[in-house]
Amino acid sequence: MKRTTLLLTGLLMAIAMQAATATDTITVRIKGMRCEECAHKVNTVLHKLNGVKSIDYNLERRTATIAYDKVLTCRDTIEARLAATGRYKASAYSKDEVIRRGMGLQMSDMHCQKCADRITKRLEQIEGVDSLAPKVDKQYVFVRYDANRTNKDIIRQALADLGFTPVNYYTSTDISFAYFLIPKEAANDETIDTVLALDGVDDANVNAKRGSLAITYINTETSTEKLQEQLKAEGIDATLPPAHECKEEKQQ
């Protein structure tokens, strides 16, 4: 019996090792893949290929890392299938290349030039950030960065650590921004998820240090007043902040 068990264990290990050695992985750039919907379409196309096991996406880099059974398919077949879509053609990816991306972040708690200077000093310390342009009058900053060396989450977290509450910024007249004070214990991921589920909301962020909630929303679908009512209905005590008196400017 013991001998049979050992033989069975050895057989299972051999099968597992064979399966592992039959799996290969490639990472390719897909320049036309710009959003979750694009990634879903690529996913649908590739999973029709026999042998494709899993796909991990990085939308900032426009890359797909594809694990496949090399007995059943190969890199050429995968790339040919993507090329056949016309839009989602694959190209070589290198960790050493520069992948430039840009994003605008609105911060209702960026009130003065000293705020902008602190933001500039901090973001310039992040590897991969190559330029930035804060606009105090519009309370936003535009950041250009190399997606192979940093990403949006790192940049947003750096701003949060400084005490700001960044959310997506757009120039469209259909976009507006709301900013509320909330209890610090409510400044968490659960609140963000609740806000993102509301109609018309594009982005939301909280800052536990400041006790703040910032929202980017489509003003043809909702309003600051409606959002405040919905938040209170969800049990989140959101209040509009008083008129700001900038202590930093007074210290100049």
Side-chain angles (χ1 to χ4, degrees), residues 176-195:
S176 294
F177 309 97
Y179 185 83
F180 302 105
L181 298 180
I182 60 174
K184 291 185 177 181
E185 60 270 18
N188 52 42
D189 289 342
E190 184 178 349
T191 291
I192 293 176
D193 290 341
T194 298
V195 177

Side-chain angles (χ1 to χ4, degrees), residues 4 31 44 47 56 58 62 70 81 86 90 95 99 110 126 132 157 163 174 186 206 228 242 247:
T4 302
K31 293 185 179 179
T44 300
H47 274 296
D56 291 324
N58 186 309
R62 316 275 198 262
K70 58 187 178 183
R81 186 67 189 88
K95 292 181 179 179
I99 302 176
M110 181 178 77
I126 298 176
L132 53 136
Q157 186 58 54
D174 292 336
V206 295
Q228 187 176 23
K247 296 178 181 178

Side-chain angles (χ1 to χ4, degrees), residues 88-146:
Y88 303 115
K89 296 179 181 179
S91 61
Y93 165 72
S94 169
K95 292 181 179 179
D96 297 325
E97 66 183 307
V98 175
I99 302 176
R100 296 197 185 283
R101 293 287 177 264
M103 67 170 175
L105 293 170
Q106 200 272 351
M107 288 168 284
S108 294
D109 32 32
M110 181 178 77
H111 299 291
C112 66
Q113 189 57 48
K114 275 199 169 183
C115 293
D117 290 344
R118 288 198 296 121
I119 288 168
T120 299
K121 182 178 180 180
R122 177 65 187 93
L123 295 190
E124 284 179 341
Q125 294 172 353
I126 298 176
E127 182 184 6
V129 171
D130 57 29
S131 66
L132 53 136
K135 303 290 183 182
V136 176
D137 57 333
K138 296 183 178 180
Q139 294 182 299
Y140 91 99
V141 59
F142 183 80
V143 186
R144 283 182 61 85
Y145 63 98
D146 176 1

Side-chain angles (χ1 to χ4, degrees), residues 51-94:
V52 171
K53 294 184 173 182
S54 64
I55 312 168
D56 291 324
Y57 300 96
N58 186 309
L59 292 177
E60 285 185 76
R61 296 175 184 166
R62 316 275 198 262
T63 60
T65 299
I66 306 158
Y68 63 94
D69 186 331
K70 58 187 178 183
V71 175
L72 300 174
T73 191
C74 65
R75 184 185 187 113
D76 289 345
T77 300
I78 292 169
E79 291 185 352
R81 186 67 189 88
L82 288 169
T85 66
R87 178 175 182 178
Y88 303 115
K89 296 179 181 179
S91 61
Y93 165 72
S94 169

